[in-house]
Amino acid sequence: MAAFRFLTAGESHGQTLGVTIEGVPAGLPLTEDDLQVDLARRQRGYGRGARQQIEHDRARIVAGVRHGVTLGSPILLLVANRDWENWTRVMQVEPLDDAAAAELAALAGEGNKRAAPVTRVRPGHADLAGALKYDFNDVRNVLERASARETAARVAAGGVARAFLRELGIDTWSFTAEVGGVAIDPAAATRSREEADASPLRCPDPGAEARMIARIDEARGNGDTIGGVFEVVVHGLPIGLGSYVHWDRRLDAALAAAVMSINIVKGVEFGLGFEQTRRFGSAVHDVIEGRGEDGRWVHRTNNAGGLTGGVTNGEPLVVRGAVKPISTLARPLPSADLISGESVEKAHYERSDISVVPAAGVVGEAMVMLTLARFVIDKFGGDTLDDVRAGLQRYRERIARAPEAPVPGASGHGLVGTDEAASGGDD
Ligand SMILES: Cc1cc2nc3c(=O)[nH]c(=O)nc-3n(C[C@H](O)[C@H](O)[C@H](O)COP(=O)(O)O)c2cc1C
């Protein structure tokens, strides 16, 4: 069982979202303010819908922390849904008694869209498959959980992972790399990280951002939606996180699954990604310059995106997520009715975002950080933050040292600094 894991709960218009995080070492300073920054970043971005004006997400820490420091016990975070006030009857947990059922039916009869069962399934959403799988005749039961509102809980958990990784000198950021076919030009990416973070699309290239905004406006004008690409970059990772020895210990595989798990992501790339398939090997592989004076290994380029053989190689980790256009369209596509099975002119519509690339990037950061935290804890273990820190420090010192020159016929173990090394190896 993984030492570090998390599970979320909560419906989009239910009372609250929750997340339990297990395996965070004791001794990590943690406050609700630490979690606030990323939750606010997830809510922003040009192209978001009206829901973001209702919600002011804040995670409450209700377990696992005492006097601002983690206890090593499971951490429980709650993120309240302010919109719940408008959905109390529709989303109530208690069974509907006759009076409540009659009230709901009357509301639906008056044309209250919240109260009416949803049966016109939306193309591109989980509606049809979810309803059939769980035997629902009201798609509300699917869309409430399939909704990306759940990603607020992931981002809250990601804030815990950020606080942990920060203590180890590991730093994660993301930006919008593309919207609707308009890509940033790295040479024109003149904004600092702070400036990009404060910009409407969290984009480092101001010219490209203006053209991206025009694409979102075009989508909005047509009652349509539009996708794009976000890029997550991580600095400060040691060489050697993850392993090539088993498929499920490869860090690239775990990160791809984590980013792919974000509702709306349809592809994941590392470094040059699919572009590698169009070039000769000589124009792809990162030449290894050698060990620098500080013991750090240097590559000439970072086309691999910081991972080779499923293992970090000491270069920054670069992960991109492909974000499809939102599937709820203001001008709905034709679809079919779940009950009659007949085609209908318009799929269901309810308040929706138009484009969410910057927000998806923040969720991407969270999923990357949570995955990295798991791999760091698996590798360096430790019940306390100090144990992890000491393990990482020892490891960094070891890989910064030159191994003994190998002896033909010996096993090939470095044995640096051990008795065996002093006695000439294990031959
Ligand atoms: C931050 C964020 C906000 C989203 N907002 C909406 C939305 O307002 N309307 C919508 O239909 N889908 C939205 N989505 C996407 C859906 O949740 C997603 O497309 C759906 O669950 C189906 O999953 P899939 O796209 O992975 O197949 C959003 C996704 C993210 C990451």
Side-chain angles (χ1 to χ4, degrees):
M1 186 199 299
F4 179 93
R5 58 191 181 143
F6 72 99
L7 273 182
T8 71
E11 279 66 47
S12 181
H13 301 101
Q15 289 180 54
T16 188
L17 299 162
V19 56
T20 304
I21 314 151
E22 182 178 82
V24 179
L28 172 70
L30 189 71
T31 67
E32 291 179 358
D33 285 345
D34 290 324
L35 313 179
Q36 189 52 31
V37 180
D38 287 336
L39 283 169
R41 289 170 73 233
R42 193 198 77 95
Q43 287 204 263
R44 294 192 19 244
Y46 192 84
R48 300 303 304 273
R51 176 83 186 259
Q52 304 316 313
Q53 279 133 45
I54 298 172
E55 304 296 347
H56 299 286
D57 289 337
R58 188 158 181 98
R60 271 200 317 126
I61 302 175
V62 294
V65 176
R66 181 162 183 249
H67 299 163
V69 184
T70 57
L71 298 171
S73 46
I75 295 174
L76 176 59
L77 309 177
L78 299 180
V79 181
N81 288 323
R82 290 180 82 179
D83 205 13
W84 152 250
E85 287 172 15
N86 303 312
W87 293 80
T88 46
R89 185 61 86 205
V90 179
M91 291 301 297
Q92 77 175 43
V93 170
E94 299 75 26
L96 284 175
D97 59 21
D98 289 349
E103 187 190 325
L104 210 48
L107 281 171
E110 290 160 15
N112 181 317
K113 283 194 173 170
R114 291 192 188 114
V118 178
T119 59
R120 287 173 297 131
V121 290
R122 290 165 300 171
H125 229 292
D127 300 359
L128 176 61
L132 295 175
K133 175 177 167 66
Y134 290 103
D135 196 17
F136 296 141
N137 60 10
D138 180 358
V139 171
R140 168 110 4 245
N141 288 346
V142 177
L143 64 86
E144 283 292 329
R145 180 65 184 163
S147 156
R149 175 75 189 140
E150 181 264 350
T151 61
R154 300 200 213 183
V155 169
V160 177
R162 185 187 293 285
F164 170 65
L165 296 172
R166 190 188 288 135
E167 293 286 339
L168 307 176
I170 299 167
D171 175 61
T172 304
W173 185 57
S174 75
F175 58 86
T176 295
E178 206 172 315
V179 169
V182 178
I184 64 161
D185 171 2
T190 52
R191 284 179 174 150
S192 68
R193 177 165 158 173
E194 289 69 31
E195 288 167 344
D197 242 2
S199 77
L201 287 177
R202 291 203 317 100
C203 180
D205 173 350
E209 184 181 58
R211 293 192 296 282
M212 292 174 186
I213 287 174
R215 291 288 279 158
I216 295 172
D217 288 342
E218 188 185 339
R220 191 197 310 271
N222 294 330
D224 215 327
T225 60
I226 197 152
V229 179
F230 63 78
E231 182 165 317
V232 179
V233 184
V234 185
H235 288 95
L237 290 168
I239 294 188
L241 264 197
S243 179
Y244 52 83
V245 303
H246 275 302
W247 67 270
D248 60 350
R249 294 183 57 194
R250 290 184 66 113
L251 180 58
D252 53 1
L255 286 167
V259 174
M260 195 71 175
S261 78
I262 302 168
N263 345 19
I264 213 163
V265 168
K266 292 297 137 194
V268 183
E269 285 186 327
F270 295 94
L272 264 189
F274 276 35
E275 174 59 23
Q276 295 177 67
T277 64
R278 298 171 201 121
R279 299 187 183 183
F280 289 114
S282 55
V284 168
H285 302 300
D286 303 310
V287 171
I288 302 169
E289 300 277 17
R291 189 172 31 231
E293 274 180 18
D294 56 357
R296 207 176 76 79
W297 285 87
V298 182
H299 296 78
R300 192 173 293 169
T301 49
N302 186 22
N303 292 336
L307 284 161
T308 36
V311 184
T312 51
N313 65 12
E315 296 299 327
L317 176 67
V318 180
V319 192
R320 270 190 302 281
V323 174
K324 78 179 187 184
I326 295 277
S327 27
T328 308
L329 306 190
R331 188 175 293 170
L333 287 168
S335 188
D337 187 87
L338 175 68
I339 311 302
S340 70
E342 304 285 326
S343 58
V344 292
E345 217 172 289
K346 288 179 179 176
H348 173 70
Y349 176 75
E350 67 184 48
R351 184 189 54 200
S352 185
D353 296 314
I354 294 163
S355 188
V356 295
V357 184
V362 176
V363 185
E365 288 176 34
M367 293 308 296
V368 165
M369 292 187 292
L370 287 158
T371 307
L372 292 175
R374 170 156 67 89
F375 275 72
V376 166
I377 288 167
D378 279 354
K379 181 161 173 55
F380 300 107
D383 295 322
T384 73
L385 179 61
D386 279 350
D387 289 348
V388 181
R389 215 187 256 125
L392 176 60
Q393 181 57 24
R394 249 193 330 273
Y395 174 75
R396 282 194 201 276
E397 284 165 13
R398 185 201 17 108
I399 58 174
R401 285 198 297 266
E404 290 287 303
V407 179
S411 71
H413 291 282
L415 302 175
V416 177
T418 64
D419 291 347
E420 289 92 322
S423 67
D426 60 351
D427 50 348

